[in-house]
Amino acid sequence: MAGKKADVSKDTGKKEPAKKADMGSRVANAVAGMAAAFVMRKLLTFTWTKVTGKEPPDSPEDPQVALGEALAWGVLMGAGVAAARLLASRLVVHKAGITQATPPD
């Protein structure tokens, strides 16, 4: 994280992030993640319908759904939603100028 400096705590001697995420930014992060997941799901459903000519499986674990179709939809949906949430979270963090708490050494 170039340009971000950490303060050294006088009590513990450990580095602390310059600015921790507050409750407002956590809420903004959660809302952005949910919105991104919703939009990505709609986009993937629309794209699936246009490409395959049929609706995506409502229940991929249903035996009536072909295994290849169920796997393709599951992988596409999982990766797409995860990527959208990640990008939304990073955008919120970047816009708010927040340094995420780092795990202890």
Side-chain angles (χ1 to χ4, degrees):
M1 289 187 256
K4 304 259 183 193
K5 293 185 178 179
D7 298 329
V8 176
S9 173
K10 294 176 184 171
D11 297 336
T12 62
K14 293 183 180 179
K15 290 185 177 182
E16 295 179 2
K19 189 177 178 185
K20 289 186 180 178
D22 60 351
M23 184 58 89
S25 63
R26 288 181 186 178
V27 170
N29 197 358
V31 170
M34 287 187 287
F38 176 80
V39 169
M40 181 57 76
R41 184 174 177 90
K42 292 293 184 185
L43 178 66
L44 290 174
T45 300
F46 175 78
T47 304
W48 181 277
T49 304
K50 288 294 181 186
V51 170
T52 65
K54 57 185 178 177
E55 292 292 318
D58 288 331
S59 180
E61 53 278 335
D62 184 3
Q64 298 287 333
V65 178
L67 180 60
E69 183 179 4
L71 285 173
W73 178 247
V75 168
L76 183 66
M77 183 61 70
V81 168
R85 290 181 64 198
L86 173 72
L87 292 172
S89 294
R90 290 178 62 102
L91 180 65
V92 167
V93 168
H94 177 72
K95 291 292 183 185
I98 298 167
T99 303
Q100 294 290 333
T102 57
D105 293 331

